[in-house]
Amino acid sequence: MNEIRLKQVYNRLFEGDFEEKDTIFIDKDNVLYDIRTPGITVQSKGESNLVKLDIKVEEGVKPEKPVFLCVGFLESSGNQYIEYSFDIGKNAEVEFISHCFFPYTDVFLHTMKSEMTIGENAKVYYEDVHYHSESGNVMVESDYKIDVQKNAEIKNLFELVKTRVGKLDISMDITLHESAKGYAETKIREQKDDTCHVKEIIRLEGDHSNGMAKTFIIGEDESKAEVLNEVYGTGQYSKGHIECDEIIAGEKVVLSTIPKLLVSNNTSEITHEAAVGRVNSEQLETLMSKGLSEEEASDMIIEGILNS
Amino acid sequence: MEVIKILEIENLSFNVEGKKILKEISYTFEPGKLYTILGNNGAGKSTLAKLIMGLNGYYQNHSGEIYLNQEEISQLKVDERAKRGIAYTYQEPVRFKGILIRDYLKISSPERIMNETELGKVLNLVGLSTEYLSRKVDHSLSGGERKRVELASAMMMKPKIIFFDEPDSGIDMMSNKMLKDMFNEMKESGTTVVSITHREEISLIADHALLICDGKLVADDKPEIVNRIYKENCDACDHVNNPDKTWRNLNE
């Protein structure tokens, strides 16, 4: 594994400081990890562009610093298939910072499947930031399945805003058990002929479970995006909210959102908000009335959304 | 003696779907003076201010002229008008996701460069602490806080003429003094301040008051006089914005 090169690229892109931290590096199908926190174990297997990674956090383990997952592919073309299995023990509290970077790829397919089980009363923060090449030929298929048990919490953020997207297909499926909480946020900025398909599902199975999914898409040039948000309210007194903001910043942009809200319990409460269109005109005029041009005002509003 | 003009409007009319919202309003605003505009809801006060600022694409659908420092500006977009020194604060200012108050105030300043101390001072003038610089102009602010941020932004702009659209709504009565101090400070620095208000106490500190009814400018005098006319006629008026009935006696 070209560890030095990977770390150099990682440092340059993310200004990462991963010394003395729990780190897992994946380059193509090679895995290198340095786990220092007792109670976190990793088992890996990598061959023929396929990486399987089992990450276990023991009951009650609460590392002070995040666990860094650095996923790279530094060649110009190829495939990468990653299967994660996360097992988070009861009462554990852990943060994962995942950075996926494919800066030199011309034609590339990255497929990721992640299954996570979060034990009772545990808390997980998972941040997944992507950097793709500017070729527009990067294809990413990400599939997250998260099972959040009694009183446990998950906060999951996905971000792809600083480079071209290419083709992205992302699916997030969160099941919340009794009094569990889930929050999923996806931010994507598309350019040129980028396309993305986002599917977020919140299953409010447990009584008093509470889930929220937010999606922000900025479409520029001739990009296309489709967002499907689904919430199923079956648990007693469960609450769910889905929100989708899609901003069209180009004449040939096509964006869509399809919400699906299903309630089969009369105490469950689900709400939905969606906005698809150009930048809010009142916001635009307010900033223009400070002397910003229409383009400057639009950029400021979009940056604000992406930084919110 | 020739009147010094900062902003002059001539025969300003504005229609929406065939309905006349503003009817041939002409008026001259002088530099460094404080004006108040009175009138019932729907009279056309905010429309007049927004039309002058060029908001809502209004600049495309009006007749008449608007002169700022003798330059006709009615075909200019809102940002061009702002750069020339016109400002407007919304009655209910919009919120923004992710924009810090610090950055909002910075872009309000024509110089764009302000240090934290200067930004903090402006916030203090509108009753907010320096800690607010790191907060966002979003829904985490209460209505009153958002309004105060807008007032701070207006001060940062140092405009030649500014229209405050009901600056006192949503802000507690204790803030009357803050508004008065702010208006006076802007006035002393040469800014023409125009306040649209329903609060008599605020309107009485003006140098001049205007009364608008049904899109017409129906009175223009000292604030005490216009306030009296407003109370005697508009409060008792059972025809909202119907000057033909309301103003018969006055005109006679």
Side-chain angles (χ1 to χ4, degrees), chain B residues 1 12 49 88 112 132 180 188 199 206-207 225 231 243:
Chain B
M1 191 175 74
L12 209 53
Y88 170 85
R112 300 280 188 267
Y132 276 78
K180 286 182 196 171
E188 280 167 20
R199 215 178 267 186
D207 300 306
I225 296 169
K231 276 184 184 175

Side-chain angles (χ1 to χ4, degrees), chain A residues 85-299:
Chain A
S85 173
F86 292 89
D87 182 0
I88 313 297
K90 290 178 182 176
N91 302 306
E93 286 183 21
V94 60
E95 290 183 24
F96 292 97
I97 306 292
S98 168
H99 288 155
C100 294
F101 51 109
F102 319 121
Y104 311 118
T105 50
D106 181 16
V107 179
F108 174 60
L109 170 64
H110 169 88
T111 305
M112 190 280 292
K113 287 196 173 185
S114 170
E115 292 196 3
M116 181 182 286
T117 303
I118 304 174
E120 287 185 17
N121 300 308
K123 290 181 182 174
V124 175
Y125 173 87
Y126 194 100
E127 182 182 297
D128 193 3
V129 181
H130 275 234
Y131 280 71
H132 297 177
S133 75
E134 296 301 315
S135 74
N137 293 320
V138 172
M139 287 176 280
V140 170
E141 297 169 357
S142 293
D143 186 5
Y144 301 83
K145 282 192 173 57
I146 304 172
D147 190 77
V148 190
Q149 296 179 357
K150 186 178 176 183
N151 279 326
E153 292 180 25
I154 175 71
K155 185 171 184 183
N156 194 101
L157 309 179
F158 178 89
E159 185 177 299
L160 175 41
V161 299
K162 297 205 167 135
T163 62
R164 282 200 64 181
V165 171
K167 290 179 175 52
L168 172 68
D169 192 335
I170 180 169
S171 171
M172 170 81 56
D173 190 333
I174 301 176
T175 300
L176 299 169
H177 297 279
E178 185 183 341
S179 299
K181 290 180 182 168
Y183 177 83
E185 185 176 291
T186 303
K187 289 181 186 172
I188 297 163
R189 182 175 198 161
E190 296 187 300
Q191 306 163 50
K192 299 179 181 171
D193 62 350
D194 290 341
T195 60
C196 76
H197 182 271
V198 178
K199 186 173 186 179
E200 289 174 333
I201 303 173
I202 303 275
R203 301 179 196 274
L204 302 164
E205 291 190 359
D207 295 350
H208 299 279
S209 56
N210 192 322
M212 184 185 290
K214 288 188 178 181
T215 310
F216 302 97
I217 310 267
I218 312 292
E220 298 174 357
D221 305 318
E222 51 193 299
S223 55
K224 292 182 174 66
E226 183 179 67
V227 178
L228 305 172
N229 293 124
E230 298 179 12
V231 187
Y232 299 93
T234 51
Q236 293 261 11
Y237 299 101
S238 56
K239 281 190 178 177
H241 178 73
I242 47 176
E243 195 173 316
C244 181
D245 281 326
E246 294 180 90
I247 293 180
I248 292 177
E251 289 180 4
K252 295 180 179 174
V253 174
V254 181
L255 305 178
S256 69
T257 176
I258 303 169
K260 181 178 176 183
L261 286 69
L262 189 148
V263 177
S264 60
N265 186 309
N266 63 1
T267 61
S268 182
E269 187 181 316
I270 296 175
T271 53
H272 168 248
E273 278 179 65
V276 183
R278 66 191 292 265
V279 174
N280 179 290
S281 61
E282 198 176 346
Q283 290 180 336
L284 201 62
E285 284 198 327
T286 298
L287 294 185
M288 288 175 73
S289 72
K290 313 288 178 199
L292 297 189
S293 69
E294 188 168 347
E295 192 179 353
E296 289 169 335
S298 180
D299 285 348

Side-chain angles (χ1 to χ4, degrees), chain B residues 207-218:
Chain B
D207 300 306
H208 240 82
L210 288 71
L211 180 57
I212 294 180
C213 182
D214 193 32
K216 287 182 182 172
L217 179 60
V218 291

Side-chain angles (χ1 to χ4, degrees), chain A residues 29-55:
Chain A
D29 53 14
N30 299 300
V31 183
L32 181 78
Y33 54 85
D34 181 9
I35 301 296
R36 295 161 183 243
T37 303
I40 300 180
T41 53
V42 173
Q43 286 190 321
S44 71
K45 185 182 172 188
E47 59 184 25
S48 304
N49 298 332
L50 169 66
V51 173
K52 287 188 174 182
L53 206 61
D54 294 342
I55 300 169

Side-chain angles (χ1 to χ4, degrees), chain B residues 142-154:
Chain B
S142 70
E145 287 170 331
R146 175 67 187 92
K147 196 103 179 187
R148 287 169 194 266
V149 171
E150 204 54 32
L151 295 175
S153 162

